Amino acid sequence: MRTKTTLYILVIMLFILLGIVYAVETYIPQVSVTTIESEALAGFFDSSTMVQLSDWHFIGIGWRERQVLETVEAIHPALILMTGDYIDYGIDFDQLRECFRRLRRIAPVIAILGNNDDFCRDSLRRICAETGIELLRNQTARLVHGADTVYIVGTGDNTRWRDNYYLAVKGLTPDNRRIVLAHAPAIAEMIDSSGVELILSGHIHGGQIVFPIVGALYSNRTPYVSRVYWEGLYSVHGMPVYSNRGIGTSDLPIRFLSRPEIAVFSFVPTESMERPAGIKE
């Protein structure tokens, strides 16, 4: 009898533990801070930070989304950049509008579309226009801060071959320093590095469900590149490329060892720091 009671207790404790792990890994966003070495961006942002958000897979403003909004508000960045996949089945567009409105109150927001957004792009254009978010599709936005200028280059969805980087940068010179937004990090293998200070992307969700030793269950691989840029900072052809784990989930409503991510970037002048920790070649 005692053995059976002990077994029941252990089973209950296991389910409680699994519930905690599920809640933490799937719903509690993690702030990652990355320092990028760049004269142009250090001059433009001064001591301010920039935030990247990606892959919301938004249905409504739930606990996770409120945590993201409150955390970004506390960070108080100078700029918010978003790299696509806002839409998911059952989305409440009114709540998405409110989410975007709250983000725009925090800082200027520039966004691009992802593959999930393809069939709702007109609705997203309207919501972005209504909330003051600048939506780029193979376009460039020029940002000026004092004497410093930075260009934000936003491509179309490069998982469906709707991107045209060279159309977006038409008229720019190699001296025009830029941050490139592309839904998938595959863009890094396709473009000229001239003027590129940083590439921001998402799409892969960091694997979303990652098992020790075995690896990721959810690869979301783009077939025409040489590798998967799972998460974090990489160097590709000399360009810093950041692959964001994103906020929401796709296919399965669970994350494991790949928590929702709020990526925060600070910038320092060239050669003022050692090689960034964790950068992958």
Side-chain angles (χ1 to χ4, degrees):
M1 192 67 166
R2 185 175 296 173
T3 302
K4 192 174 286 188
T5 302
T6 303
L7 181 61
Y8 286 151
I9 293 172
L10 288 174
V11 169
I12 291 169
M13 289 178 65
L14 176 61
F15 275 102
I16 291 172
L17 179 61
L18 289 174
I20 293 171
V21 169
Y22 168 75
V24 170
E25 294 289 332
T26 308
Y27 290 102
I28 299 181
Q30 184 176 38
V31 176
S32 60
V33 181
T34 302
T35 301
I36 300 294
E37 191 176 3
S38 164
E39 292 284 353
L41 299 183
F44 182 85
F45 285 95
D46 195 10
S47 58
S48 300
T49 59
M50 179 184 78
V51 161
Q52 180 208 6
L53 303 173
S54 195
D55 297 84
W56 287 80
H57 292 274
F58 190 93
I59 297 173
I61 299 178
W63 195 88
R64 176 174 54 203
E65 289 74 23
R66 283 194 292 272
Q67 290 295 308
V68 171
L69 291 168
E70 290 170 8
T71 302
V72 173
E73 188 173 24
I75 293 167
H76 196 64
L79 179 66
I80 300 169
L81 301 177
M82 299 200 295
T83 45
D85 271 11
Y86 314 102
I87 302 298
D88 214 326
Y89 297 110
I91 184 171
D92 185 323
F93 282 104
D94 288 335
Q95 290 198 27
L96 180 65
R97 185 181 290 104
E98 177 58 24
C99 179
F100 281 10
R101 187 174 286 118
R102 288 180 61 179
L103 281 175
R104 183 60 188 86
R105 289 192 200 116
I106 299 169
V109 183
I110 300 176
I112 60 169
L113 300 180
N115 54 292
N116 266 42
D117 308 318
D118 199 48
F119 301 106
C120 296
R121 55 183 180 271
D122 291 336
S123 296
L124 281 168
R125 284 195 196 101
R126 283 194 299 272
I127 290 172
C128 286
E130 290 167 5
T131 56
I133 290 176
E134 186 164 6
L135 182 64
L136 302 177
R137 294 191 73 198
N138 297 318
Q139 296 167 303
T140 294
R142 180 173 180 259
L143 304 181
V144 178
H145 178 67
D148 297 299
T149 300
V150 165
Y151 295 85
I152 308 297
V153 179
T155 67
D157 172 33
N158 61 322
T159 69
R160 295 177 184 265
W161 293 276
R162 292 195 168 93
D163 58 308
N164 190 332
Y165 173 78
Y166 294 102
L167 173 64
V169 300
K170 187 177 180 180
L172 297 187
T173 69
D175 292 332
N176 295 143
R177 314 319 290 177
R178 66 204 73 169
I179 297 172
V180 178
L181 309 183
H183 182 55
I187 192 79
E189 296 189 19
M190 309 295 164
I191 66 172
D192 186 332
S193 64
S194 297
V196 176
E197 298 293 313
L198 177 64
I199 297 174
L200 299 179
S201 61
H203 183 59
I204 299 172
H205 298 194
Q208 188 168 307
I209 300 171
V210 182
F211 296 108
I213 302 174
V214 176
L217 176 66
Y218 182 79
S219 68
N220 221 353
R221 184 186 177 98
T222 305
Y224 52 85
V225 291
S226 64
R227 60 190 291 191
V228 177
Y229 303 93
W230 292 107
E231 62 168 321
L233 188 64
Y234 295 82
S235 178
V236 182
H237 305 314
M239 297 177 288
V241 182
Y242 196 86
S243 183
N244 191 306
R245 294 193 304 272
I247 295 166
T249 60
S250 181
D251 298 330
L252 296 173
I254 185 171
R255 284 177 174 265
F256 183 65
L257 297 182
S258 181
R259 282 174 59 189
E261 179 177 22
I262 299 168
V264 179
F265 296 89
S266 61
F267 305 96
V268 297
T270 307
E271 297 180 356
S272 68
M273 61 176 283
E274 296 181 359
R275 181 182 180 80
I279 193 167
K280 311 172 189 80
E281 294 287 358

